[in-house]
């Protein structure tokens, strides 16, 4: 038995049987996705350039600051506390952290790789 796909009248996209979503819900989900994208992209830009929201200019990544040092060194607790404090401020951890912020933000903004972005964000 094969499932027949129908076309959404508003977007023209193929819709699987049983996938009933109103345009309002679709619009709200798009706004929510873009809001999450903004959060990740703003965190990336603020930590890179030090715009003063959460990162002062003198501690920005471009001025030699470490984006992971403050978070991992001060907020880690539990069984992995020593591991997180050990990698806080390492260059490879900074690069991975910043690449993750940028990658997740761009994926959410463009709406591509959503499952990968959701897994990476979690």
């Amino acid at each position: 038995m094969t499932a027949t796909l129908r076309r959404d009248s508003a977007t023209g996209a193929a819709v699987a049987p049983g996938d009933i979503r109103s345009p309002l819900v679709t619009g709200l989900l798009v706004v929510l996705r873009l809001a999450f994208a903004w959060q990740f992209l703003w965190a990336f830009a603020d930590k890179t350039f030090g715009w003063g929201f959460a990162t002062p200019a003198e501690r920005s990544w471009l001025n030699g600051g470490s984006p992971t040092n403050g978070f991992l060194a001060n907020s880690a607790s539990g069984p992995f506390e020593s591991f997180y404090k050990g990698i806080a401020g390492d260059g490879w951890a900074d690069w991975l952290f910043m690449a993750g912020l940028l990658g997740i933000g761009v994926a959410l903004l463009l709406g591509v790789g959503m499952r990968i972005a959701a897994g990476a964000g979690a």
Side-chain angles (χ1 to χ4, degrees):
M1 180 168 101
T2 61
T4 58
L5 295 178
R6 64 178 178 81
R7 296 280 174 191
D8 185 0
S9 60
T11 63
V15 178
D19 186 13
I20 302 169
R21 206 179 287 166
S22 72
L24 176 65
V25 171
T26 302
L28 289 174
L29 289 174
V30 168
V31 169
L32 184 63
R33 178 177 55 88
L34 293 176
F36 278 118
W38 172 252
Q39 288 290 316
F40 280 98
L41 292 174
W42 176 260
F44 171 80
D46 186 49
K47 290 180 185 321
T48 301
F49 302 109
W51 287 339
F53 182 72
T55 307
E58 61 271 5
R59 290 191 352 217
S60 72
W61 198 27
L62 293 178
N63 286 336
S66 172
T68 60
N69 195 24
F71 177 71
L72 291 176
N74 298 325
S75 65
S77 63
F80 296 110
E81 180 178 2
S82 61
F83 172 73
Y84 288 132
K85 288 186 177 185
I87 65 172
D90 287 350
W92 65 269
D94 291 340
W95 277 96
L96 282 177
F97 178 71
M98 295 300 281
L101 285 176
L102 181 63
I104 294 168
V106 168
L108 289 170
L109 181 68
L110 300 178
V112 295
M114 295 298 296
R115 290 184 183 177
I116 295 169

